[in-house]
Amino acid sequence: MLVLILIGLLGGLITAVSPCILPVLPVVFLAGGPGTDTRARPAKDTGKARQARNRRPYAVVAGLVLSFSFFTLLGVTLLSALGLPQDILRYIGLALLVLIGFGLVFPPVERLLEKPFARLPQRQVNKEGSAFVLGLGLGLLYVPCAGPVLAAITVAGARGQISGEIVALTLSFAVGTAVPLLAFALAGRRVAERVAAFRTRARKLRIGAGVLMVALAFALAFNVTDAIQRALPDYTSAAQKKIEDSDAARQQLSGLYDNSNKELSRCEDGVDELRSCGKAPAIDGIAKWLNTPGGAPVDLAAQHGKVVLIDFWTYSCINCQRSLPHIEAWNATYKAYGLEVIGVHSPEFPFEKDAGNVASQAKKLGVTYPVALDNKLTTWDNYRNRFWPAKYLIDSDGTVRYFKFGEGQYDQTENLIRTLLKKADPTVQLPPKTGQKADVLTADRTPETYLSNLRIRGYVGTPLVDDKPTAYHFPAAVPLNSLSLDGTWTAGYDHFTAGVNARLAFTYRAKNVNLVLGGDGPVTVLVNGRVTKTIQVHGTPSLYALVNDAHAAQAKLELRVAPGVQGYAFTFG
């Protein structure tokens, strides 16, 4: 628990000084300054007025901690129960920011905001009511600033899995975020007290602060601040990866989730025999079903007596695409004999969450069996899955008997399907095996490589700059299984976006090279310095074949990419 609390505190500290919070810092700074209008107070009461005003930084931060903690853990549950849209909390925060801004400009509005606090026993706490409300609003706007720790908190809150550990992590994270913000607010208070201009022009400063808050609310509402944040380097990413994504942090955070299906960990990947791996977890949290009558869900519990094959896949994954013909053949051959195939589409990229994209790609790939859109990765977590593709065989009694991660072993998997079908019905006369041959893979082929500033491997050349258009230059040489950039690129978490004169070099060993591309524009492909083709990229990100040779070989690939085209992941065969 102490380690978890420490991780939460450090994660909160990092988040509070990250670029995502910069737009609200002026509001926090000014919250400790102008304070409640005291023009009508007698001179002898000046000290008390200052004392009341000095509490404003604490009121703002207290409101922020309270609203962040409460709504992060319970917001999704409450909104779902009330039938309200999930983004309403953000708009409530924006409305509160506007009200506080109007309160600074128009004192009657501020007195209206403080009125609910007037009955509290502390003599002056009612004067901090508007500051507390401001903190509540900032807490709602602060929630999107996420890292691995906040992701764990929000996932637990979204699923209603509120435990002592989750509450402790949330509170420690909130306190961690509060410390830098409180220091900033206290600095604003000190400036207001020490600088003569703040004292002699208090009314004008209050009006200026109010106008700034209203302007900030509209800037946040229309995403104007996003451009500012994109222009700034993510100077906290290294610290975040070192602390929030460390081995110790992953171990602590993984322990927060439901461990009821840990029996699956007892079985081994791809063994050549059937084993008992525990009861099959439920297929939950599905956004939509495809290839079922009227989009009706498939109830796993209702498949008792059948053999079920669950395939975790995502449509832009070349490894998944290579396994689909085998699965489709098994579905066509054995469905009449008691096999039920269910595809669980667990997206790797945001564009793969779109039901229209999945439906069109599934049709293009020849998938006819039911597909569940696992956009929140709920079923993925239920099965403790970590791979694309992954196949789970469930017997007629609902027990997981075998699983295979990745490609290959198709003949073995089909043999086990046939064994389970015969166990379910000893009298069954099965048809001949499908005869599907597995693709011959290059033993030492170049591994799958993501164009992601957090997951890229084998990169050489000019150091990557996060989320900012940057000029890159090829090094003198690009070693085997390495890539480099030239020209202008924007390196993001999900993809790289080409700019002016964008080029990419990759020295690979494989027979086939594929790349997921999106956007609009041409991509010229050169192999060993010779132009081999020009691809016209258009619309939704899809998998494009760059190289398709008869035999595996080592070669140097160069891509000349039009501005605006996005690259996601290389796969090799």
Side-chain angles (χ1 to χ4, degrees), residues 371-551:
V371 175
L373 273 59
D374 184 31
N375 286 352
K376 295 182 180 180
L377 301 181
T378 303
T379 301
W380 172 282
D381 284 343
N382 285 353
Y383 279 77
R384 306 170 69 88
N385 191 46
R386 294 295 181 269
F387 296 89
W388 289 282
K391 290 169 280 295
Y392 293 77
L393 268 180
I394 304 169
D395 67 17
S396 57
D397 294 322
T399 301
V400 177
R401 302 295 303 276
Y402 167 85
F403 54 78
K404 170 68 182 117
F405 297 146
E407 299 179 68
Q409 297 182 267
Y410 299 112
D411 187 65
Q412 173 180 298
T413 302
E414 184 174 5
N415 286 337
L416 295 178
I417 290 173
R418 294 171 67 90
T419 299
L420 287 178
L421 289 172
K422 290 179 180 179
K423 285 181 177 291
D425 181 6
T427 65
V428 70
Q429 297 295 318
L430 296 176
K433 293 178 64 175
T434 61
Q436 286 284 318
K437 294 184 179 180
D439 294 333
V440 178
L441 304 179
T442 306
D444 55 348
R445 65 177 175 176
T446 298
E448 182 177 21
T449 302
Y450 293 93
L451 294 182
S452 160
N453 53 20
L454 291 182
R455 296 192 287 174
I456 195 170
R457 58 182 172 182
Y459 175 79
V460 294
T462 309
L464 293 175
V465 178
D466 294 346
D467 297 315
K468 184 177 180 179
T470 303
Y472 293 89
H473 303 283
F474 284 151
V478 180
L480 178 62
N481 297 335
S482 299
L483 65 91
S484 187
L485 303 176
D486 194 83
T488 302
W489 289 86
T490 300
Y493 175 76
D494 287 320
H495 59 267
F496 286 7
T497 303
V500 179
N501 298 322
R503 295 191 297 162
L504 185 150
F506 205 139
T507 303
Y508 70 92
R509 175 172 175 77
K511 183 172 67 172
N512 305 312
V513 182
N514 307 277
L515 175 60
V516 177
L517 293 165
D520 290 279
V523 176
T524 301
V525 181
L526 295 85
V527 178
N528 293 330
R530 182 174 62 88
V531 176
T532 59
K533 65 171 65 175
T534 297
I535 298 169
Q536 291 296 328
V537 179
H538 178 69
T540 302
S542 301
L543 190 74
Y544 290 84
L546 306 181
V547 178
N548 190 14
D549 291 336
H551 304 285

Side-chain angles (χ1 to χ4, degrees), residues 41-59:
R41 289 184 179 274
K44 65 180 182 179
D45 197 35
T46 302
K48 292 184 178 179
R50 182 182 299 125
Q51 184 181 18
R53 184 171 62 247
N54 286 350
R55 295 195 186 102
R56 291 180 61 85
Y58 300 99

